[in-house]
Amino acid sequence: MPSDPQIQLLLTGNEIMSGDTVDSNSAMIALRLAEIGLGVYRKVTVGDDSALLQAELRAMAGQADTVIINGGLGPTVDDLTAEVLAAAADVGLVEHPEALAHLEGWCARRNLPLNAANRKQALLPAGARVIPNPVGSAVGFELTLGDCRVICTPGVPGELRRMLDTIVDALGRSLARPAQRHVLRLQTFGLGESTAQQMISDALPDWPAAVELGFRAGAPQMEIKLAVKDARDLPLRDQCERQLRQLFGDHIIGEGDTQLAARVLELLQVRGETLTTAESCTGGLIASMLTRIPGSSAGFHAGFVTYANDIKTAVLGVQETTLETCGAVSEEVVREMALGALERSGADYAIAVSGIAGPEGGTEDKPVGTVWLAWGSVDKLQTACLLWPVERGLFQTMVAAAALDMVRRRLLGIASEPRYFSQRRAR
């Protein structure tokens, strides 16, 4: 057996096997474990088949120190995790008082009856220890199977995310030796992995071996990770961080889990100012990104989704002659959209976007992927035309992020253009 604790993942569910649900949970678990110096030795996905799940669980428990089962805790007949673990441990299923109390409270807060289907979630293997679930109806639980610790977690990503703090902290405390892995994560926008790696290779050819460098790309942001295994190397990691900040400058949004929308709202709140949005091709995505953040009402005043030309005129006051002469995807139209949103909302700053998301609708002069952005205030409204010839969903995501990024830069007083302007400028 490896010298480090061996952790295996058992993912359950026909929907994962069929591809109807994309597995993001194993990546979430692995990333959190990595923060305390642990890795996933093996992972297996099995459908909703009790016999197959039992066989795989027994095999894993014979090899691993810890098995994390993800999924199968819900109220339906295909949620099999409690039943499978009980059978593998040769114990019965019993109604756990703590799990039942959690269910009763969960239902009461939602004015729902505690029916038989929901009550199934309180049936746990005898001797199981509850892991609180602050969001969902099903608690997590753990049980020792032979010499292996089996931890059962919900398949709903939002619930799993909230429970991982408790689970990872407990695993860290159980290690025979404390894990020494110190991780710093920098969030960036407007840099691709290959571009960032080449810039680092060119500017910092003598990168120290003690500092692990990693990248995690995901639209719209990219994460750069710096990690050291020994606290004595923290000064070296901090030196590398300073070098990266000098190299990438204002493309770094923040640390940890910082998101563009949250950073914009933070800057607005500090200044006591507000933002409004006028969206066409993004269909309200920018407003959605902002309002996902708790407390967004302090900095976000109003969002206007004006998709059709007549709505741009009726709601935002865009002139019919401007639309007829310049077209909806034009500098003139996004300027009038932004000014109309500012006037109607009373906000300090506005974002306006109009573009061709595709896959059809492009012309030789304005191909698919063309977008006009406007951002700023009544006295200083800036515009740019960019080209993102990618599939529709990614186009909307990147346009929304770019619009937020330009407001972030404006609020920080950054006058220089981002690198992606030179790469994406359409005219």
Side-chain angles (χ1 to χ4, degrees):
M1 183 171 294
S3 57
D4 285 339
Q6 189 189 111
I7 299 175
Q8 297 194 24
L9 303 186
L10 177 56
L11 313 172
T12 75
N14 289 339
E15 65 280 2
I16 299 177
M17 295 291 289
S18 66
D20 290 333
T21 297
V22 176
D23 167 38
S24 60
N25 286 350
S26 60
M28 189 192 310
I29 294 168
L31 287 167
R32 291 302 309 275
L33 290 173
E35 292 177 3
I36 62 167
L38 295 178
V40 174
Y41 182 77
R42 180 171 176 261
K43 71 174 180 178
V44 176
T45 304
V46 178
D48 298 315
D49 184 304
S50 181
L52 287 177
L53 284 165
Q54 286 183 49
E56 187 59 49
L57 177 57
R58 287 192 178 102
M60 284 184 161
Q63 302 168 345
D65 300 289
T66 302
V67 171
I68 299 176
I69 304 178
N70 185 242
L73 303 189
T76 58
V77 295
D78 58 350
D79 290 311
L80 303 173
T81 295
E83 170 191 320
V84 164
L85 179 55
D90 196 23
V91 299
L93 283 173
V94 298
E95 191 167 77
H96 196 294
E98 190 176 345
L100 180 59
H102 171 82
L103 269 171
E104 290 171 340
W106 187 88
C107 289
R109 289 190 296 274
R110 291 159 179 78
N111 198 28
L112 296 172
L114 179 54
N115 56 29
N118 264 330
R119 195 163 184 137
K120 169 182 177 286
Q121 297 170 101
L123 291 174
L124 306 183
R129 299 171 293 279
V130 163
I131 302 171
N133 182 345
V135 180
S137 58
V139 296
F141 52 92
E142 64 172 284
L143 188 71
T144 301
L145 184 56
D147 294 326
C148 179
R149 182 179 189 177
V150 180
I151 300 172
C152 302
T153 61
V156 179
E159 296 179 24
L160 174 65
R161 184 177 294 107
R162 293 287 298 274
M163 295 172 69
L164 276 176
D165 282 342
T166 299
I167 294 167
V168 173
D169 285 349
L171 282 173
R173 288 194 301 271
S174 70
L175 294 176
R177 55 173 175 74
Q180 290 188 328
R181 194 165 187 269
H182 306 272
V183 180
L184 173 71
R185 295 182 293 132
L186 299 175
Q187 297 295 335
T188 72
F189 176 71
L191 295 169
E193 284 183 291
S194 60
T195 298
Q197 180 62 77
Q198 191 60 56
M199 290 173 68
I200 293 171
S201 298
D202 291 343
L204 307 169
D206 299 321
W207 187 270
V211 182
E212 175 190 330
L213 176 65
F215 302 89
R216 182 160 63 98
Q221 296 178 195
M222 183 188 70
E223 179 180 287
I224 302 175
K225 182 174 64 179
L226 303 177
V228 294
K229 295 181 179 179
D230 194 316
R232 290 173 295 184
D233 291 320
L234 280 171
L236 195 57
R237 189 201 68 178
D238 294 343
Q239 176 186 324
C240 290
E241 179 197 355
R242 290 191 295 272
Q243 291 172 319
L244 291 189
R245 287 187 179 276
Q246 184 175 4
L247 186 62
F248 297 131
D250 49 44
H251 289 81
I252 296 175
I253 302 163
E255 298 181 16
D257 295 319
T258 301
Q259 300 294 304
L260 265 169
R263 182 66 175 131
V264 169
L265 288 169
E266 177 189 355
L267 292 169
L268 287 167
Q269 189 170 13
V270 167
R271 298 163 64 103
E273 295 176 325
T274 56
L275 173 69
T276 185
T277 58
E279 303 180 61
S280 183
C281 60
T282 49
L285 179 58
I286 303 172
S288 176
M289 291 168 72
L290 290 163
T291 54
R292 287 175 205 163
I293 311 300
S296 56
S297 59
F300 180 62
H301 256 196
F304 303 89
V305 181
T306 55
Y307 208 66
N309 284 356
D310 58 336
I311 302 302
K312 289 180 176 67
T313 298
V315 174
L316 293 178
V318 176
Q319 297 296 311
E320 291 183 7
T321 53
T322 306
L323 287 162
E324 291 169 1
T325 304
C326 305
V329 182
S330 64
E331 180 179 19
E332 292 81 359
V333 164
V334 292
R335 286 187 64 86
E336 291 188 21
M337 288 172 64
L339 292 171
L342 286 166
E343 180 183 354
R344 285 153 179 77
S345 69
D348 299 290
Y349 300 97
I351 289 171
V353 296
S354 185
I356 306 169
E360 299 175 349
T363 65
E364 184 176 349
D365 184 47
K366 297 176 183 178
V368 169
T370 301
V371 61
W372 271 100
L373 309 175
W375 67 94
S377 56
V378 172
D379 60 334
K380 186 181 179 182
L381 194 62
Q382 298 171 270
T383 60
C385 185
L386 305 178
L387 181 63
W388 251 296
V390 294
E391 63 88 16
R392 186 180 183 91
L394 182 57
F395 169 85
Q396 292 175 318
T397 297
M398 299 310 290
V399 167
L404 287 169
D405 188 47
M406 295 317 297
V407 173
R408 176 186 71 94
R409 290 168 172 273
R410 171 70 179 270
L411 294 171
L412 288 171
I414 300 169
S416 59
E417 289 189 345
R419 289 179 61 88
Y420 59 88
F421 264 36
S422 61
Q423 298 165 336
R424 296 294 181 182
R425 191 183 296 278
R427 60 185 69 193

